[in-house]
Amino acid sequence: MASSPLPASVLDLAPVVPVVVIEEAGDAVPLARALVAGGLPAIEVTLRTPAALAAIREIARGVPGAVVGAGTVVRPGQVGEAVAAGSRFLVSPGWTDGLLEAMRASGVPFLPGVSTASEVVALLERGVREMKFFPAQAAGGTAYLRSLSGPLPQARFCPTGGIGPASAPDYLALPNVGCVGGSWMLPRDAVAARDWGRVEALAREAAALSAGGTCR
């Protein structure tokens, strides 16, 4: 099956990017299908489990509506593995020059993680304008991101970390936020029970979020 086309920007695929931890590769396809059916095509599979690369591979092959990416990319060597498995984008919680170079060379869109103004400036200096803001709530939340929009308006963010359906609209209202990342549409009990109908319903609610909580 042909892979999904590369997105021009990860930030513009949907208001919410599900952050997925997959323990069993066999769950990857039905879980991804539920998210896509609910209107969330961008799926970040974190490289936190032994099943992650196999899960990315299965989603890339078996869910044509999905744009699957790899999250928690923390070493340059993971970049090639993730892209070879079918990742269409990359997300890291932070960055180094080596990791940034590997992500840039991969040819797929990427979101390096930042939590300070100095990190944002350093990435802008390197030509990177789209970033992950992590851990969003702990690092200052909407107030911090709002304060960055004045001096650094060219930077755009996907905040992730501690965000839920109640706080997501506040982030999405900011001029420098393109989307948010979260896992609230994947409750542990629903995934454990393989209740994909519940996951789809929660994904549909998340896909309808925008600034002020209305559909955009």
Side-chain angles (χ1 to χ4, degrees):
M1 180 175 294
S3 58
S4 303
L6 286 175
S9 169
V10 180
L11 300 184
D12 296 327
L13 288 169
V16 178
V17 176
V19 179
V20 182
V21 180
I22 295 181
E23 301 288 348
E24 301 287 341
D27 290 338
V29 167
L31 184 152
R33 285 176 176 163
L35 292 173
V36 171
L40 299 179
I43 301 171
E44 177 189 333
V45 177
T46 67
L47 301 183
R48 302 180 196 173
T49 68
L53 288 174
I56 290 170
R57 190 174 297 112
E58 291 301 312
I59 294 171
R61 291 174 177 172
V63 189
V67 182
V68 64
T72 322
V73 178
V74 295
R75 298 188 305 276
Q78 292 177 308
V79 171
E81 295 174 343
V83 173
S87 295
R88 313 305 288 165
F89 62 91
L90 304 166
V91 183
S92 67
W95 65 278
T96 64
D97 282 326
L99 181 58
L100 187 66
E101 181 180 346
M103 290 193 293
R104 196 194 300 272
S106 72
V108 304
F110 58 91
L111 296 175
V114 297
S115 61
T116 69
S118 293
E119 291 170 318
V120 176
V121 171
L123 284 178
L124 289 173
E125 188 177 83
R126 289 160 173 79
V128 178
R129 295 190 173 189
E130 298 189 344
M131 313 166 195
K132 171 178 178 173
F133 181 63
F134 175 84
Q137 289 288 90
T142 55
Y144 193 89
L145 282 173
R146 187 179 296 108
S147 71
L148 292 179
S149 66
L152 302 170
Q154 64 271 54
R156 297 181 69 217
F157 301 96
C158 173
T160 304
I163 298 174
S167 59
D170 294 331
Y171 281 94
L172 293 168
L174 298 175
N176 55 352
V177 169
C179 64
V180 300
S183 57
W184 71 86
M185 72 296 300
L186 297 160
R188 289 182 180 270
D189 58 341
V191 175
R194 295 177 170 82
D195 187 351
W196 309 128
R198 182 180 172 199
V199 169
E200 180 180 339
L202 290 170
R204 186 169 291 108
E205 293 176 3
L209 289 175
S210 69
T214 58
C215 297
R216 66 176 186 179

